[in-house]
């Protein structure tokens, strides 16, 4: 029911699962939470941050610049660094469309970038095509705007191009193609499954966006939050390398996962024609994200401390991922659970025996809580429309807990599953 005096958007925003989950986790601190996508507290970059801050605050003018308001676009030197890092990760400037500095915009985390871009492009009733399952916070963002998230079938290599084409085709037949504004893709070690989009599919997805842009431009929103968190696999060029001069790809990235979510600096590389409209939205929202945080990240990169930190993270998360997979093989495999081993990111996506409802109303959730562990029910990650939700799924995160606690958490989950199917 719509409350009096609240906006339509407040009504659309109501009932998110995340707050309830966080509340349950905080209310029982002894719980082994494999739920939240938080990063490892033990590897947060305390000394790199201290060194950067010491240098900034040791210089009166630098300190004053950092403590002042910044610009809507964000700190230019950091934007230059991001451009350089991005071009280099994608094989150098000759292999991709050029990036003008004004195309790079800094935000308070990449979530803000996703939000502002969506505000810029979407009216109520507009459509975003997503992997099914996908990042549920972004599903909330879309809901908040009255936009429709339509899920597209996804396998171990990402969104299935044939299914994407079929969805676009159906929407065209329904006369809804003009309402399709974006295809949202987490192409590296996605949330929630930890799996990446194959190189071949990256090209196909961008091509489909281009081919179906007949009634209005369809963008590909490439959310690369987990690109840096890869363990023992080679990097793959981003979706943007498949773009052409028309500019269909909106690139988003963040320092939250590869450095610190407390600092919360994210960034976007926008197609030329979106720079002014997105800038206008951001100007109205905050006329610039926290400048101090941007100066801090700039200095960390300038001091050469980002890459070594990423290497440290890889070593730590590799061990944690292994601990989760080992425990899953030992305790969950025999119970008929299935998963695909990720090569990066922070998550393992579990498919439970058919018919076992892992949702908050099903039997497993409370049994797991009673055992002393928390997970995120998979159902939250499915868009309301399109490829149907699988309720026998859960997302496990190995970011926060130690390898020992991860193994313990899996053992508890196994006990809960045994009790649920008994
Ligand atoms: C897929 C994905 N995108 C974006 C974000 C947002 O990160 P931030 O706003 O901290 O950059 C997250 C956070 O968990 C995520 O999982």
């Amino acid at each position: 029911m719509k409350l009096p005096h609240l906006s339509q958007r407040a009504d659309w925003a109501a009932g998110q699962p995340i707050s309830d989950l966080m509340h349950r986790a905080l209310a029982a601190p002894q719980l082994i939470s494999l739920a939240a996508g938080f990063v490892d507290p033990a590897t947060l970059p305390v000394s790199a941050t201290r060194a950067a801050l010491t240098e900034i605050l040791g210089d009166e003018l630098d300190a004053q610049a950092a403590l002042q308001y910044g610009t809507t676009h964000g700190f230019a030197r950091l934007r230059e660094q991001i451009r350089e890092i991005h071009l280099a990760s994608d094989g150098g400037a000759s292999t991709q469309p050029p990036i003008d500095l004004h195309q790079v915009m800094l935000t308070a985390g990449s979530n803000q970038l996703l939000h502002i871009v969506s505000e810029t492009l979407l009216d109520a009733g507009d459509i975003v095509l997503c992997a099914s399952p996908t990042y549920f916070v972004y599903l909330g963002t879309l809901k908040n705007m009255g936009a429709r998230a339509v899920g597209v079938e996804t396998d171990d290599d990402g969104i299935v191009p044939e299914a994407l084409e079929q969805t676009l085709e159906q929407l065209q037949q329904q006369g809804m193609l003009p309402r399709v504004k974006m295809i949202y893709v987490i192409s590296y070690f996605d949330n929630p499954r930890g799996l990446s989009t194959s190189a071949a599919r990256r090209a196909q997805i961008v091509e489909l966006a281009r081919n179906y842009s007949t009634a209005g431009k369809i963008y590909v929103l490439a959310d690369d939050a987990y690109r840096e968190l890869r363990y023992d696999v080679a990097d793959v060029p981003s979706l943007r390398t498949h773009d052409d001069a028309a500019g269909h790809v909106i690139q988003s990235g963040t320092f939250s996962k590869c450095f610190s979510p407390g600092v919360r600096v994210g960034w976007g590389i926008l197609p030329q024609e979106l720079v002014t409209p997105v800038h206008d939205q951001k100007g109205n929202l905050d006329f610039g994200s926290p400048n101090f945080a941007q100066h801090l990240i700039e200095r960390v990169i300038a001091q050469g401390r980002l890459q070594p930190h990423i290497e440290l993270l890889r070593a730590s998360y590799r061990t944690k991922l292994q601990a989760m997979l080992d425990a899953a093989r030992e305790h969950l495999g025999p119970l008929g659970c299935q998963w695909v081993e990720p090569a990066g990111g922070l998550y393992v996506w579990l498919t439970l025996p058919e018919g076992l409802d892992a949702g908050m109303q099903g039997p497993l959730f409370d049994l797991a809580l009673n055992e002393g562990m928390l997970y995120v029910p998979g159902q939250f990650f499915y868009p309301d429309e399109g490829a149907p939700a699988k309720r026998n799924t859960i997302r496990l995160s190995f970011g926060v807990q130690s390898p020992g606690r991860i193994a313990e958490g899996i053992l508890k989950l196994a006990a809960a599953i045994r009790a649920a199917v008994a």
Side-chain angles (χ1 to χ4, degrees):
M1 188 188 67
K2 188 167 174 358
L3 291 171
H5 306 304
L6 294 185
S7 68
Q8 174 69 70
R9 294 173 71 133
D11 198 36
W12 284 330
Q16 304 151 353
I18 185 80
S19 316
D20 188 32
L21 273 173
M22 299 288 273
H23 177 75
R24 285 179 191 243
L26 291 171
Q30 76 290 355
L31 212 59
I32 298 182
S33 174
L34 301 180
F38 285 10
V39 303
D40 181 2
T43 51
L44 283 170
V46 178
S47 58
T49 302
R50 188 183 297 123
L53 286 182
T54 303
E55 202 173 287
I56 293 170
L57 297 177
D59 182 293
E60 199 65 22
L61 285 180
D62 278 1
Q64 285 171 5
L67 289 165
Q68 186 53 275
Y69 276 123
T71 63
T72 305
H73 248 105
F75 187 28
R77 278 217 302 269
L78 176 56
R79 290 192 287 122
E80 272 165 29
Q81 289 168 327
I82 289 168
R83 174 170 66 175
E84 236 169 75
I85 292 172
H86 188 80
L87 287 170
S89 322
D90 274 348
S94 60
T95 60
Q96 55 194 302
I99 304 172
D100 292 338
L101 198 57
H102 75 272
Q103 289 178 267
V104 185
M105 200 169 289
L106 302 182
T107 49
S110 56
N111 221 77
Q112 193 193 41
L113 194 275
L114 303 179
H115 196 100
I116 296 176
V117 161
S118 303
E119 290 244 304
T120 306
L121 288 173
L122 302 175
D123 287 310
D126 280 346
I127 295 169
V128 177
L129 305 181
C130 308
S132 186
T134 193
Y135 174 45
F136 68 70
V137 176
Y138 187 58
L139 293 176
T141 300
L142 295 177
K143 208 171 230 170
N144 210 55
M145 294 174 189
R148 291 171 57 193
V150 176
V152 179
E153 188 196 327
T154 302
D155 67 16
D156 301 351
D157 287 327
I159 288 179
V160 176
E162 293 74 21
L164 179 60
E165 182 156 24
Q166 203 181 358
T167 306
L168 285 161
E169 209 43 54
Q170 274 165 3
L171 288 163
Q172 185 165 36
Q173 278 159 22
Q174 294 161 7
M176 295 305 287
L177 201 55
R179 305 308 300 263
V180 179
K181 298 288 184 67
M182 286 191 280
I183 304 166
Y184 173 62
V185 187
I186 309 167
S187 65
Y188 298 94
F189 318 113
D190 71 359
N191 183 357
R193 300 180 319 142
L195 304 181
S196 297
T197 308
S198 69
R201 287 202 183 168
R202 287 164 192 258
Q204 287 171 292
I205 291 168
V206 178
E207 199 185 333
L208 282 168
R210 204 179 289 133
N211 292 347
Y212 279 85
S213 290
T214 48
K217 197 163 179 179
I218 299 176
Y219 292 95
V220 177
L221 178 53
D223 176 352
D224 291 358
Y226 297 91
R227 181 172 188 176
E228 295 82 5
L229 299 189
R230 61 175 180 277
Y231 322 127
D232 304 318
V233 280
D235 199 13
V236 184
S238 72
L239 281 152
R240 198 174 177 279
T241 57
H242 302 287
D243 212 355
D244 59 16
H248 285 264
V249 177
I250 303 165
Q251 189 74 52
S252 120
T254 179
F255 294 96
S256 285
K257 308 296 175 182
C258 69
F259 192 71
S260 157
V263 179
R264 209 82 198 273
V265 174
W267 50 268
I269 301 173
L270 305 168
Q272 293 282 4
E273 78 275 9
L274 287 186
V275 173
T276 301
V278 171
H279 186 268
D280 289 345
Q281 283 293 324
K282 188 157 173 53
N284 282 336
L285 179 73
D286 64 3
F287 50 91
S289 298
N291 191 32
F292 192 75
Q294 297 173 10
H295 278 252
L296 168 60
I297 297 284
E298 184 275 337
R299 200 56 59 102
V300 167
I301 297 173
Q303 291 182 336
R305 290 177 196 270
L306 179 62
Q307 202 49 42
H309 183 68
I310 291 172
E311 295 303 330
L312 178 90
L313 291 183
R314 286 181 182 149
S316 166
Y317 286 133
R318 187 182 291 125
T319 309
K320 286 171 178 243
L321 170 60
Q322 215 43 60
M324 183 167 276
L325 294 175
D326 288 348
R329 257 180 243 118
E330 188 176 345
H331 303 297
L332 300 176
L335 299 177
C337 300
Q338 293 177 327
W339 60 92
V340 178
E341 297 194 357
L346 292 178
Y347 311 107
V348 174
W349 179 250
L350 212 60
T351 302
L352 307 171
E354 203 61 50
L356 179 51
D357 184 355
M360 284 164 84
Q361 317 308 330
L364 185 65
F365 191 80
D366 284 337
L367 284 167
L369 272 183
N370 290 342
E371 286 291 335
M373 73 82 64
L374 184 70
Y375 62 81
V376 185
Q379 69 184 79
F380 296 145
F381 297 91
Y382 288 89
D384 289 342
E385 298 180 56
K390 296 192 176 116
R391 298 183 70 88
N392 61 329
T393 52
I394 68 181
R395 188 195 74 178
L396 298 172
S397 168
F398 53 86
V400 176
Q401 307 292 346
S402 65
R405 297 257 296 170
I406 289 171
E408 216 184 311
I410 296 287
L411 196 62
K412 289 174 184 299
L413 176 61
I417 294 173
R418 262 194 303 274
V421 296

